Amino acid sequence: QLQLQESGPGLVRPSETPSLTCTVSGGSISSSSYYWGWIRQPPGKGLEWIGSIYYSGSTYYNPSLKSRVTISVDTSKNQFSLKLSSVTAADTAVYYCVSQPYTSGEKPYYFDYWGQGTLVTVSS
Amino acid sequence: DIVMTQSPDSLAVSLGERATINCKSSQTVLYSSDNKNYLAWYQQKAGQPPKMLIYWASTRESGVPDRFSGSGSGTDFTLTISSLQAEDVAVYYCQQYYSDPYTFGQGTKLEIK
């Protein structure tokens, strides 16, 4: 079964552009059956979908974050990444990478596998 | 955006009793073309990532105990735990994947009475 593992900087300064990476194991990121996504959860709060990417590079982004988010994929490393620009304290959250089953011609579905999450704290 | 609203926000149930969590979407998540409800339920225990329990509103994920069941259609959905176990203490979320942006309910905290 799929396993996902996030890695990231932990502590970042306001206005910086941190990059998070998700390494996928137990399957190929080039699978035609999956999109790969990011979800975040501020401490003590609920879940917010950030965006998702297909191995071909096709993306969906949450409009609320779209202007600051870039998701990319590296099929050679079986990884995908998230960059979030101009961060503020409001971006402090646990960031999860997830997999989304996908059928050609439709939009990605639910989030079936989750990484353990990585806490990104924005503070000066 | 489709707004997902769960009720109640918190719930305390005795061991062995039934727990019911409701989820309402601001618009239908039932696709007429395939007659499927694009609705999932997740369980998040303290300090852990969410775990998917149910998708297509009523299909249990492999390995999920059969005391968990999902029902509903259109805009109103329910997650039922038929006989609460101690390990079911968690926050439960519903989520729609009918349209992006994908959105979650605010969560329902389930505790033991």
Side-chain angles (χ1 to χ4, degrees), chain B residues 5-28:
Chain B
T5 304
Q6 293 179 225
S7 62
D9 289 334
S10 63
L11 180 63
V13 174
S14 299
L15 289 172
E17 296 299 305
R18 178 185 299 260
T20 301
I21 298 170
N22 300 301
C23 175
K24 187 174 184 67
S25 56
S26 61
Q27 64 186 75
T28 187

Side-chain angles (χ1 to χ4, degrees), chain A residues 39 41 45-49 52 60-63 96 100 106-117, chain B residues 1 34 38 40 42 44 47-52 55-56 61 93 95 97-102 104-106:
Chain A
I39 290 169
Q41 184 173 37
K45 296 188 178 180
L47 300 161
E48 180 181 35
W49 171 71
S52 301
Y60 291 95
Y61 291 131
N62 191 325
Y96 296 102
Q100 281 181 278
E106 300 194 1
K107 287 191 175 178
Y109 300 144
Y110 42 83
F111 306 110
D112 58 351
Y113 292 96
W114 296 63
Q116 286 299 306
Chain B
D1 298 6
D34 59 10
Y38 284 53
Y42 302 85
Q44 187 176 31
Q48 297 184 18
K51 171 189 174 183
M52 189 180 70
Y55 55 101
W56 301 126
E61 172 72 319
Y93 295 92
Q95 177 245 329
Y97 47 99
Y98 180 91
S99 65
D100 67 286
Y102 303 103
F104 294 84
Q106 81 277 17

Side-chain angles (χ1 to χ4, degrees), chain A residues 72-85:
Chain A
S72 59
V73 63
D74 186 337
T75 55
S76 67
K77 295 181 179 179
N78 229 37
Q79 294 177 335
F80 62 105
S81 299
L82 167 69
K83 287 188 178 181
L84 182 62
S85 65

